[in-house]
């Protein structure tokens, strides 16, 4: 035991020394309109970013950082080559983080003044909303009840059912152990494992609910400022000119109750923000339109335009493809079982039972795939007008993505063998965003619809 404890202690000391060394040899330098983060450890890493390419500066605090009074400061860029992740991310003390932010923002303003993007009069009136001390007036706020309902609508059904099942299993294990000494140790181990699994699921649910606590948003000049979070407090600013698309996102539960939340797809972000930054919590379509008129009046989020459904042959083709795949998979499974049973000499009842289970599993899989394909066909839509392309996709949830033509980088059209026969196509719309959101793919529609979209896109060039 002493040897094991000694090894654990040595490992902990080595890890501590590793992190202390990395902290000591990591520096941030701001000089000549360039922000550089350099780590001079065994694997030397140097990350430099020009100030004029910075699109956003965000401060973030988790619970521990709030206790020790530090901030994680993140710089997002407007470069396509670096849009997959935040280019600069470093933890600093509160004073140093605010000082770095003020210095970089000052340099960004100077760069804009030199390029003519910002006038001296506008520079004097420009204030970072999140840095103003005292009470702030937000344009959009949510009550505790609205925040709680948002958390419920955002909850994953699979996660909730899994958590509920584990909790029930834990209660059943406790009941089974009451009054029984036999297998007490095994029962305690089972109970502990189930309790840990259930606790982790409940923790994930609670973390999701607390993430949007005290959610507030406001519009100030050319930026939208958002503040939220209970355990992990986040403050971020979204430059309006960097917003390349607006998305309404429905979970399965929120779709049942006619609720959605709004995300904007912009350059930068990482982890949970990689597919865009949240702008509004769950609400009805009318509520979201009303709030968007306050925060983002530049976007006309209207659903009155004609949205076309996919042709019926698309559903038939997809069902046939998937059923064919299930048949091949099921046939292979039955063939493998036949060979195994023949060589193993199993009795006829066991063979019949296993084959019945395999056939029922294949039938169940085919039904699930068929239902999913129908929901996918029912959900997918395509709309377009003179300013925007609207792509609606999803299966049990739903995403409505609104893309202005002037924010589109380029488009690709693709056709499979079946598409050539039925004269249908898919379109891939490329925008300036992270890798996860850079390509927006539509369903399969008649070629004439994409001809109109291409024509409208060319007019913006």
């Amino acid at each position: 035991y002493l040897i094991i404890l000694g090894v654990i202690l040595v490992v902990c000391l080595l890890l501590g020394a590793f992190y202390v060394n990395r902290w000591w040899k990591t520096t941030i330098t701001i000089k000549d309109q360039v922000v550089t983060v350099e780590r001079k450890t065994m694997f030397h890493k140097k990350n430099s970013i020009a100030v004029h390419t910075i699109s956003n500066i965000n401060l973030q605090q988790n619970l521990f950082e709030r206790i020790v009074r530090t901030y994680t400061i993140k710089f997002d860029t407007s470069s396509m080559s670096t849009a997959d992740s935040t280019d600069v991310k470093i933890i600093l003390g509160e004073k140093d983080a605010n000082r770095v932010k003020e210095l970089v923002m000052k340099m960004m303003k100077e760069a804009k003044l030199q390029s003519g993007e910002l006038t001296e009069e506008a520079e004097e009136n420009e204030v970072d909303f999140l840095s103003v001390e005292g009470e702030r007036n937000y344009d959009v706020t949510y009550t505790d009840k609205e925040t709680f309902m948002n958390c419920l609508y955002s909850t994953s059904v699979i996660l909730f059912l899994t958590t509920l099942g584990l909790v029930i299993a834990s209660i059943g294990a406790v009941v089974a152990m009451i009054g029984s000494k036999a297998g007490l140790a095994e029962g305690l181990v089972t109970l502990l494992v189930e309790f840990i699994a259930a606790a982790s699921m409940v923790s994930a649910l609670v973390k999701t609910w607390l993430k949007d606590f005290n959610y507030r948003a406001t519009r100030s000049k050319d930026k939208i400022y958002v503040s939220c979070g209970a355990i992990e407090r986040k403050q971020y600013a979204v430059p309006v000119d960097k917003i390349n698309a607006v998305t309404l996102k429905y979970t399965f539960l929120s779709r049942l109750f006619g609720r959605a939340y709004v995300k904007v797809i912009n350059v930068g972000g990482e982890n949970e923000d990689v597919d865009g930054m949240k702008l509004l919590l769950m609400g009805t379509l009318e509520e979201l339109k009303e709030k968007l008129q306050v925060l983002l009046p530049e976007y006309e989020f209207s659903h009155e335009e004609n949205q076309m459904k996919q042709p019926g042959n698309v559903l038939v083709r997809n069902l046939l493809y998937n059923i064919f795949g299930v048949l091949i998979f099921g046939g292979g499974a039955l063939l493998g079982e036949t060979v195994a049973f023949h060589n193993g000499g199993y009795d006829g009842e066991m063979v019949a039972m296993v084959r019945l289970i395999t056939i029922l599993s294949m039938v169940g899989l085919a039904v699930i795939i068929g239902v999913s394909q129908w929901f996918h066909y029912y959900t997918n839509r395509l709309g377009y007008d003179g300013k925007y392309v609207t792509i609606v996709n999803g299966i049990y949830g739903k995403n409505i993505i609104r893309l202005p033509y002037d924010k589109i980088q380029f488009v690709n059209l693709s056709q499979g063998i079946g598409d050539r026969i039925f004269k249908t196509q898919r379109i891939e719309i490329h925008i300036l965003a992270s890798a996860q959101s850079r390509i927006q793919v539509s369903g399969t529609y008649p070629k004439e619809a994409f001809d109109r979209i291409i024509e409208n896109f060319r007019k913006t060039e």
Side-chain angles (χ1 to χ4, degrees):
Y1 288 115
L2 289 176
I3 293 174
I4 294 174
L5 289 174
V7 171
I8 294 174
L9 180 61
V10 169
V11 171
C12 291
L13 290 174
L14 289 175
L15 285 174
F18 170 78
Y19 283 112
V20 168
N21 180 64
R22 190 169 73 170
W23 164 77
W24 182 258
K25 293 186 177 181
T26 300
T27 59
I28 180 169
T29 305
I30 305 172
K31 183 180 179 181
D32 298 331
Q33 298 289 318
V34 175
V35 178
T36 303
V37 174
E38 187 172 10
R39 181 177 295 163
K40 298 180 181 179
T41 54
M42 183 183 298
F43 300 99
H44 188 204
K45 183 178 180 181
K46 187 175 182 180
N47 196 355
S48 299
I49 171 175
V51 169
H52 72 273
T53 66
I54 296 175
S55 63
N56 206 14
I57 306 173
N58 296 323
L59 296 178
Q60 183 173 320
Q61 271 186 325
N62 57 34
L63 183 60
F64 179 75
E65 289 173 334
R66 292 168 70 175
I67 294 173
V68 299
R69 300 178 68 83
T70 61
Y71 272 107
T72 298
I73 185 167
K74 302 195 296 184
F75 299 87
D76 297 331
T77 69
S78 56
S79 169
M80 173 69 86
S81 62
T82 56
D84 293 344
S85 62
T86 300
D87 290 85
V88 174
K89 177 181 178 181
I90 191 168
I91 299 175
L92 300 172
E94 284 187 353
K95 291 183 179 179
D96 289 336
N98 287 315
R99 189 173 63 175
V100 167
K101 180 180 179 181
E102 291 174 3
L103 178 59
V104 174
M105 289 188 66
K106 181 180 179 181
M107 295 171 69
M108 290 171 62
K109 291 178 182 178
E110 291 175 353
K112 288 182 179 179
L113 285 171
Q114 292 177 0
S115 63
E117 296 181 31
L118 185 68
T119 63
E120 293 185 2
E121 181 180 355
E123 190 272 338
E124 291 179 358
N125 297 326
E126 188 173 359
V127 178
D128 179 25
F129 185 83
L130 295 176
S131 66
V132 177
E133 298 295 334
E135 186 66 25
R136 304 178 179 93
N137 294 319
Y138 286 84
D139 296 326
V140 176
T141 59
Y142 293 88
T143 63
D144 292 340
K145 179 182 177 181
E146 290 173 330
T147 304
F148 180 72
M149 294 306 297
N150 167 78
C151 297
L152 288 181
Y153 291 134
S154 302
T155 301
S156 167
V157 174
I158 295 176
L159 180 62
F160 177 76
L161 293 177
T162 304
T163 304
L164 182 62
L166 289 171
V167 171
I168 294 174
S170 299
I171 295 173
V174 172
V175 173
M177 285 191 303
I178 294 176
S180 175
K181 295 182 178 179
L184 182 60
E186 292 81 356
L188 287 173
V189 172
T190 302
L191 177 61
L192 180 62
V193 171
E194 291 177 349
F195 176 78
I196 292 174
S200 64
M201 291 291 181
V202 172
S203 174
L205 288 173
V206 172
K207 183 179 178 181
T208 301
W209 290 342
L210 294 178
K211 183 175 61 177
D212 294 326
F213 178 78
N214 199 25
Y215 194 95
R216 297 164 294 170
T218 194
R219 174 68 180 266
S220 179
K221 299 186 183 301
D222 61 346
K223 291 183 180 179
I224 300 171
Y225 296 91
V226 176
S227 176
C228 62
I231 295 177
E232 184 176 4
R233 187 170 60 186
K234 297 178 67 175
Q235 293 180 331
Y236 54 87
V238 184
V240 173
D241 62 338
K242 303 301 181 184
I243 295 175
N244 297 323
V246 178
T247 304
L248 261 65
K249 299 182 76 73
Y250 294 79
T251 64
F252 176 68
L253 279 179
S254 70
R255 188 177 179 184
L256 291 177
F257 291 94
R259 301 289 192 279
Y261 68 93
V262 177
K263 271 193 169 185
V264 291
I265 299 177
N266 59 314
V267 180
E270 61 181 0
N271 299 330
E272 62 185 19
D273 294 330
V274 77
D275 64 335
M277 292 184 172
K278 186 177 288 188
L279 202 65
L280 292 172
L281 301 186
M282 290 286 184
T284 63
L285 196 58
E286 292 303 319
E287 291 171 347
L288 296 179
K289 286 182 180 180
E290 182 179 344
K291 291 182 170 87
L292 275 174
Q293 282 299 311
V294 177
L295 296 179
L296 199 59
E298 292 86 352
Y299 269 72
E300 301 171 8
F301 217 110
S302 172
H303 294 280
E304 279 74 29
E305 81 276 5
N306 293 325
Q307 293 182 0
M308 66 176 64
K309 297 166 55 176
Q310 296 182 108
N313 62 70
V314 174
L315 176 61
V316 175
R317 276 186 283 160
N318 291 340
L319 287 174
L320 290 176
Y321 292 155
N322 286 279
I323 291 173
F324 182 69
V326 171
L327 289 175
I328 292 178
F329 180 74
L334 289 173
L335 180 62
E337 289 172 1
T338 301
V339 174
F341 291 142
H342 178 74
N343 296 330
Y346 296 94
D347 59 69
E349 291 185 3
M350 180 177 290
V351 172
M353 179 64 68
V354 173
R355 284 179 174 172
L356 178 62
I357 293 173
T358 302
I359 292 172
L360 290 177
S361 299
M362 293 304 105
V363 172
L365 180 61
V367 170
I368 292 173
I369 291 176
V371 172
S372 299
Q373 285 295 335
W374 186 87
F375 271 107
H376 186 265
Y377 169 78
Y378 176 79
T379 302
N380 273 244
R381 296 287 190 276
L382 179 68
Y384 55 89
D385 53 26
K387 293 183 179 179
Y388 299 92
V389 178
T390 303
I391 297 176
V392 185
N393 55 36
I395 301 177
Y396 300 106
K398 183 169 69 171
N399 298 321
I400 303 175
I401 306 151
R402 192 107 160 126
L403 301 148
Y405 289 107
D406 59 352
K407 296 292 185 178
I408 296 175
Q409 301 287 307
F410 59 93
V411 298
N412 288 331
L413 297 174
S414 60
Q415 273 186 324
I417 297 176
D419 294 324
R420 294 174 187 172
I421 297 173
F422 293 100
K423 296 182 179 180
T424 55
Q425 284 182 330
R426 289 176 179 269
I427 190 169
E428 292 182 357
I429 299 179
H430 294 248
I431 59 175
L432 189 63
S434 62
Q436 184 172 330
S437 302
R438 185 178 303 166
I439 303 175
Q440 301 296 334
V441 183
S442 74
T444 305
Y445 299 93
K447 181 177 178 297
E448 294 76 18
F450 299 120
D451 291 340
R452 290 289 305 275
I453 292 174
I454 296 297
E455 180 183 348
N456 292 337
F457 173 57
R458 286 174 176 170
K459 292 178 181 178
T460 63
E461 296 179 347

